[in-house]
Amino acid sequence: FRDRPQEQAEGEIFHQSTLKSAGKKDASSELQSSQHPGLRYSKEQLEEWGYPKYDSNFDDPDWLREQFRKEREDPRENANFFLSPEDPEFWNNAARKPHVKALLETEDHWKSRKNTWLEQYQQVYDANKFRDEVAERLEECSMATRRLVAPVLQSRAVEGHLMQVARQADERGVPFA
């Protein structure tokens, strides 16, 4: 259910590395890794980031092991017990299982976040590209225009206005200068 490792403080990393090199084990890291071997983010962080909540049993390897054992052995626990993977109902039944629902919800949330990041990246990329284009067009302008625009070009409002002027010049087929 987790994507990336939780960041650790430099001192904690140094402390753990010195203990390992000395052949000693850090009790806190051993306890944390034994309780939640796949836990990389805290539940508070995931909740803060808007990830869907799921049953805390899914973090317990013993509980999961027992559930999977029941599904392998008991047809009452597993609707797919007598079905083959080629049967269309097999995949519908598999998607209805609680742990699979939790995985799918988490994956959907991750995809949503990823798409948001990609959209933001594309906007920044387009703005940088357009900024370069406006700078090239300003090079074609007279020296007086460049002296006037150069000090205020750092302002987002001026930059936005120049981008709008450049778009309108392209649409109307008139020169930027």
Side-chain angles (χ1 to χ4, degrees), residues 122-135 137-138 149 153-171 176:
Q122 188 63 42
Q123 290 172 353
V124 168
Y125 179 79
D126 291 343
N128 288 340
K129 187 176 175 184
F130 209 73
R131 193 175 298 118
D132 291 341
E133 185 179 323
V134 167
R137 288 184 178 197
L138 281 174
V149 174
L153 189 58
Q154 302 300 320
S155 168
R156 292 282 181 195
V158 173
E159 183 180 301
H161 180 70
L162 286 176
M163 288 181 183
Q164 183 180 7
V165 169
R167 283 190 193 111
Q168 288 176 353
D170 288 342
E171 290 172 2
F176 179 76

Side-chain angles (χ1 to χ4, degrees), residues 1 53-55 58 63-64 66-85 89-106:
F1 292 21
K53 293 182 180 179
Y54 59 88
D55 188 359
F58 299 150
W63 184 86
L64 282 174
E66 180 64 20
Q67 284 301 113
F68 292 145
R69 185 196 60 76
K70 286 179 185 177
E71 287 181 9
R72 272 193 320 270
E73 297 173 359
D74 189 358
R76 294 172 295 181
E77 293 284 332
N78 185 0
N80 287 336
F81 194 78
F82 296 112
L83 298 177
S84 72
E89 193 61 27
F90 179 90
W91 298 106
N92 292 335
N93 291 338
R96 288 186 195 111
K97 294 180 181 179
H99 62 280
V100 175
K101 283 183 183 178
L103 281 172
L104 291 174
E105 288 174 1
T106 302

